[in-house]
Amino acid sequence: MNTSNNVAQPVHIDRVRKTFGEFVAVREMSLDIAAGEFVTFLGPSGCGKSTTLKMLSGLLPQDSGEIRFGHKRIDMLPPNKRNIGLVFQNYALFPHMSVAENIAFGLRMRGWSRAAKDKRVDQLLQLVRLEGLGGRKPEQLSGGQQQRVAVARALAFNPDLVLLDEPLSNLDAKLREQVRLDLRDIQREANQTTIFVTHDQVEALVMSDRIVLMNKGGVEQVGTPYELYATPTTEFGARFVGANNLVAATLDMSSGTAQARIGADLALPITTCAADLDKDGTTIWFCVRPEHLALRPWNKEGEGQFAGRVLDKIYQGTTVLVDLDVTGLGTIRAERAALEVGDLPIGAYIGVHIERSHAVARSTG
Ligand SMILES: Nc1ncnc2c1ncn2[C@@H]1O[C@H](COP(=O)(O)OP(=O)(O)OP(=O)(O)O)[C@@H](O)[C@H]1O
Ligand SMILES: [Mg+2]
């Protein structure tokens, strides 16, 4: 069921910039978001995520740039004229109002009739899976349920854009995982253009159609979760999204294919390269994900195999992390199925194979 009565809008952010005195909080951000798309702003604390949302919602004026919903420029409008639904970290439901009254709040402000309001509240209670709980007060709900009420309240008036600023960070780990999936399903069903903010990369990977990776007020990379994970374009991206082993190397193009030269006599194949990497001799990070390091019994004759000494093992249930000392590569971490690794003794030597690798530019030698 599509409970949205209006057509979702694309959103265009065009060279938007924000400074606080000398400090540049958001440098020239440009981004086109498709109608109904779920986009996540991901980045460390202080990188400018909330500042960007505040400019979109009108709580902060931008220094320069334009924001448009479809063809309509909205950055000159006051917050209440922008038709944006907001959900923040502290869900800030009105404690004295029932769940239904909370959801209907924006509808009352917009002068909806009683009958239209009641119908819409019922639709939303169904959408966020809280049927029958409209009469309760927020304090009679769990944290996850309260957060879903906040989402329903933000969606109620068919906003052109929904902004969610770290809405799950007050929930405990288990509930967070559940509400994360609920929220994704609700967004898909409502088909409303959405920007979600988090500094949790797993959350971003799980929920998003596209991720905007931010760092120090700038955009590092925009792409699908798979693109950000498989082919980071910068060192920051290679380190921030997912676990990774980074080894300092030099790009060697002499054989016609990209290789990573490490020290005097090690040249390893590079499976994928960040797009701008093609110049022989460029300093790079040779990146290998822990799950792309295969472990086999040590066999001196084996082609493309390194001897790794087991430094430590961390069991995680289904998988085990194995820290290895590999001559030439230093300390690297593998992640394999626990059943496959078995009872590997610390100090043992095993054969390490690199199944996939990626390279990004290294800024300093
Ligand atoms: N009103 C302000 N005056 C001065 N500096 C500000 C103001 N608001 C934000 N900043 C600064 O701008 C930068 C970006 O802040 P912002 O709130 O956008 O970060 P964020 O990415 O949302 O971080 P977090 O994950 O911690 O919420 C920070 O360095 C912050 O200190
Ligand atoms: Mg913030």
Side-chain angles (χ1 to χ4, degrees):
M1 179 187 62
N2 184 354
T3 49
S4 167
N5 295 326
N6 65 351
V7 181
Q9 291 281 338
V11 172
H12 308 286
I13 303 171
D14 192 3
R15 287 164 295 142
V16 163
R17 177 183 159 88
K18 182 71 194 174
T19 52
F20 295 108
E22 296 285 281
F23 179 74
V24 183
V26 177
R27 55 188 87 237
E28 305 251 316
M29 179 194 260
S30 292
L31 181 71
D32 292 321
I33 303 174
E37 194 178 13
F38 192 118
V39 165
T40 296
F41 289 177
L42 171 69
S45 184
C47 72
K49 306 181 295 294
S50 295
T51 303
T52 308
L53 288 208
K54 284 177 192 160
M55 290 191 282
L56 287 163
S57 60
L59 299 174
L60 267 181
Q62 77 271 26
D63 296 356
S64 54
E66 284 185 19
I67 302 162
R68 295 186 302 280
F69 290 170
H71 295 294
K72 184 175 162 203
R73 188 165 171 190
I74 59 106
D75 56 80
M76 319 305 259
L77 301 175
N80 61 347
K81 292 275 174 350
R82 291 191 185 196
N83 203 31
I84 286 178
L86 288 171
V87 183
F88 293 112
Q89 180 175 350
N90 49 344
Y91 11 92
L93 297 176
F94 305 112
H96 57 285
M97 291 184 195
S98 70
V99 165
E101 286 164 346
N102 264 282
I103 296 174
F105 182 76
L107 307 179
R108 211 174 68 202
M109 306 293 286
R110 286 167 175 78
W112 285 41
S113 73
R114 167 113 205 198
K117 250 180 2 196
D118 289 350
K119 184 162 171 240
R120 184 68 180 144
V121 168
D122 282 345
Q123 271 183 338
L124 284 155
L125 284 170
Q126 197 187 339
L127 180 71
V128 299
R129 291 161 202 99
L130 293 173
E131 297 101 323
L133 300 187
R136 288 212 195 158
K137 290 279 165 56
E139 64 182 16
Q140 296 170 309
L141 299 178
S142 73
Q145 290 171 328
Q146 288 183 40
Q147 195 53 295
R148 300 212 298 271
V149 175
V151 170
R153 187 176 61 181
L155 293 173
F157 51 90
N158 290 315
D160 289 320
L161 178 64
V162 180
L163 302 177
L164 303 152
D165 196 347
E166 309 231 18
L168 309 183
S169 52
N170 280 343
L171 307 179
D172 68 52
K174 190 136 184 88
L175 193 54
R176 198 175 164 136
E177 266 175 42
Q178 182 53 51
V179 180
R180 188 187 275 172
L181 297 175
D182 286 350
L183 200 53
R184 189 190 61 174
D185 292 347
I186 291 165
Q187 191 275 344
R188 281 183 188 164
E189 207 171 307
N191 188 37
Q192 246 145 347
T193 315
T194 301
I195 301 176
F196 179 84
V197 161
T198 183
H199 54 255
D200 180 330
Q201 39 108 7
V202 176
E203 211 159 88
L205 292 172
V206 167
M207 298 181 73
S208 322
D209 292 324
R210 274 192 306 157
I211 297 172
V212 177
L213 182 64
M214 295 179 66
N215 182 29
K216 295 182 181 160
V219 173
E220 289 270 328
Q221 186 171 358
V222 181
T224 62
Y226 180 77
E227 284 166 344
L228 262 84
Y229 189 84
T231 51
T233 53
T234 63
E235 175 184 344
F236 175 81
R239 289 187 192 279
F240 195 81
V241 181
N244 220 339
N245 295 290
L246 275 70
V247 181
T250 308
L251 186 64
D252 181 344
M253 301 293 286
S254 61
S255 68
T257 56
Q259 289 190 302
R261 192 157 284 284
I262 300 163
D265 45 26
L266 206 53
L268 301 176
I270 299 172
T271 317
T272 51
C273 259
D276 55 333
L277 277 183
D278 52 14
K279 223 171 115 242
D280 196 62
T282 310
T283 55
I284 56 167
W285 290 109
F286 180 69
C287 310
V288 182
R289 298 280 184 195
E291 69 272 24
H292 295 144
L293 287 167
L295 307 181
R296 313 219 176 105
W298 169 239
N299 166 11
K300 253 190 278 196
E301 310 306 323
E303 178 77 355
Q305 179 183 236
F306 300 93
R309 190 167 59 86
V310 178
L311 299 173
D312 200 4
K313 297 178 301 188
I314 303 158
Y315 277 104
Q316 304 196 115
T318 46
T319 67
V320 57
L321 307 178
V322 184
D323 287 339
L324 300 151
D325 181 33
V326 176
T327 308
L329 299 182
T331 302
I332 54 177
R333 172 169 284 184
E335 179 171 16
R336 305 303 300 183
L339 281 174
E340 174 195 316
V341 172
D343 225 353
L344 196 61
I346 302 227
Y349 279 89
I350 50 170
V352 180
H353 293 252
I354 297 174
E355 295 178 329
R356 267 187 71 90
S357 64
H358 179 71
V360 296
R362 179 158 49 106
S363 44
T364 50

